[in-house]
Amino acid sequence: MTATSPGPTSGPTSGPTSSGPSSGPTADLDTPATTRRSPAEDAARRRRRWRHLPQYVAVSPFFLLFAVFGLYPVFYSLFLSLQRWDGVGPMKFVGLENFRYLLTDSQFWDSIANTLIIWVMSTIPMTVLALLIALGLNSSIRFKGVLRIAYFMPNVTSIVAMSLVFGSIFSGEFGILNWILDLFGFGHVPWLTDPWGIRCAIAIMIIWRWTGYNAIIFLAGLQALPTDVYEAARVDGASPVQTFFKITLPLLRPVLLFSLVMSAIGGLQIFTESQVLLGDRGGPGGAGLTMVLYFYGTAFADNDFGYGAAIAWGIFVVVVLFSILNWRLVQRPERGQVTIKEDAR
């Protein structure tokens, strides 16, 4: 009988000494206590979270407008380039067919060639003239402020109105320019019917419009150059020509790079001059058909919005590649710049 006595006594003894019942309530009480924050800490955290809200609200209109009028059109044009759509009927998904046709479209490649030719014909004379004007304005002359305004005025003048004026100047029969050429016995030049005459007319318009703008940019760069380098060059007996080519141009390289890159971006998007002078097709033989004019004619004259969107993306790729190439050609290695500075000293 004594063998059965440990049974009843072991039950009550083992219950309170087991780890399961005693550890459960203790763990449930301790775990929330380590992560719970006081109401004051929660309020401080909420205040820190919303303290920059007025600043975000102040700048939000820009981001909203950019999203609506900037990002949305970009993504929608990419979506549209995968469709065939006339602007009225239902869209038809064609995938990359528009881009495949773009690579074999001879008219698109002709528009690229025309744009590059006009850019070269306008950018080189414009840069040289702008640099000469900036050097003149940087010297000791009178009425600098008036001259700066006069040179900058073409850039803020309506290009549509000036295209009409230039259309009368370059007119083949009654143009002012041909009248002046007749006075000197050179005869008429078919400015708006000959391919090279068309390109020259557009290039002259671009030069007239952007020379003053670039001259002001170059003038700001010249005024920021250190004067002690020029004083050292004068002490060493350097001539003005040597000073210009060995000091001014190397130090002005960042400004020149900025001007050339911006000229490349703007020159590859020529539209108004060609469209007002020659119409939507770029004149006889398409000599004035630029990339943007070809995009405009395809999308808004032929109502082929899908292929027009593909042309727009092709223009974007050409502008990016040409800007990178322009940057690489103009920018010199850092070692070469250091050598030039040492030579100037």
Side-chain angles (χ1 to χ4, degrees):
M1 295 182 62
T2 57
T4 60
S5 59
T9 58
S10 62
T13 306
S14 62
T17 57
S18 63
S19 59
S22 60
S23 61
T26 305
D28 293 340
L29 292 175
D30 292 340
T31 302
T34 58
T35 58
R36 184 178 300 169
R37 293 184 299 269
S38 64
E41 291 176 345
D42 291 337
R45 187 173 182 179
R46 284 194 296 269
R47 284 195 300 269
R48 287 194 301 268
R49 183 183 303 169
W50 297 104
R51 65 179 178 178
H52 297 299
L53 180 62
Q55 289 84 347
Y56 288 120
V57 172
V59 300
S60 61
F62 166 77
F63 292 100
L64 292 176
L65 292 175
F66 177 74
V68 173
F69 297 103
L71 288 180
Y72 173 73
V74 169
F75 288 108
Y76 186 75
S77 67
L78 182 61
F79 165 77
L80 196 60
S81 65
L82 305 177
Q83 315 290 326
R84 181 172 293 142
W85 187 45
D86 60 357
V88 179
M91 295 183 181
K92 180 182 178 181
F93 180 78
V94 294
L96 299 176
E97 186 63 30
N98 288 325
F99 292 99
R100 280 194 290 265
Y101 179 74
L102 183 67
L103 295 177
T104 60
D105 187 1
S106 60
Q107 200 168 9
F108 175 69
W109 293 105
D110 290 341
S111 68
I112 294 178
N114 290 332
T115 305
L116 293 179
I117 291 172
I118 295 172
W119 178 81
V120 172
M121 294 174 63
S122 60
T123 300
I124 296 176
M126 177 187 65
T127 304
V128 175
L129 287 175
L131 191 56
L132 293 176
I133 292 172
L135 291 172
L137 292 176
N138 196 41
S139 61
S140 299
I141 60 174
R142 302 175 61 183
F143 307 110
K144 288 185 179 181
V146 177
L147 292 175
R148 291 175 188 175
I149 295 174
Y151 284 123
F152 193 74
M153 280 296 294
N155 188 253
V156 297
T157 305
S158 173
I159 188 60
V160 175
M162 294 314 302
S163 297
L164 297 175
V165 173
F166 275 91
S168 64
I169 293 175
F170 291 109
S171 177
E173 295 296 330
F174 306 102
I176 299 174
L177 188 56
N178 276 335
W179 176 74
I180 296 174
L181 292 176
D182 282 339
L183 292 179
F184 293 95
F186 292 104
H188 281 206
V189 176
W191 295 106
L192 301 181
T193 55
D194 181 74
W196 285 103
I198 289 172
R199 293 163 184 156
C200 287
I202 297 174
I204 290 173
M205 289 185 60
I206 297 172
I207 293 171
W208 175 85
R209 183 184 182 190
W210 292 102
T211 298
Y213 170 84
N214 286 281
I216 300 300
I217 298 296
F218 291 154
L219 178 61
L222 289 172
Q223 292 178 345
L225 298 181
T227 57
D228 54 347
V229 181
Y230 291 95
E231 294 175 357
R234 281 194 296 269
V235 171
D236 293 338
S239 65
V241 176
Q242 291 175 332
T243 302
F244 175 75
F245 284 103
K246 292 187 176 295
I247 296 178
T248 303
L249 279 184
L251 294 179
L252 205 61
R253 185 175 302 278
V255 182
L256 286 170
L257 177 62
F258 169 79
S259 175
L260 289 176
V261 171
M262 295 304 295
S263 298
I265 296 174
L268 294 178
Q269 301 180 56
I270 302 170
F271 169 72
T272 308
E273 295 86 349
S274 298
Q275 201 272 337
V276 175
L277 277 179
L278 308 166
D280 296 340
R281 304 302 176 184
L289 184 66
T290 61
M291 292 189 295
V292 178
L293 185 59
Y294 182 48
F295 153 71
Y296 173 81
T298 302
F300 298 100
D302 299 338
N303 294 325
D304 191 352
F305 291 96
Y307 186 56
I311 294 174
W313 278 98
I315 294 172
F316 170 75
V317 173
V318 171
V319 171
V320 170
L321 294 178
F322 195 73
S323 299
I324 295 174
L325 177 63
N326 202 1
W327 179 284
R328 292 292 185 182
L329 291 177
V330 176
Q331 192 180 36
R332 298 182 62 179
E334 191 69 22
R335 183 173 56 185
Q337 295 181 0
V338 173
T339 304
I340 291 174
K341 292 180 181 180
E342 291 178 352
D343 292 341
R345 292 178 182 176

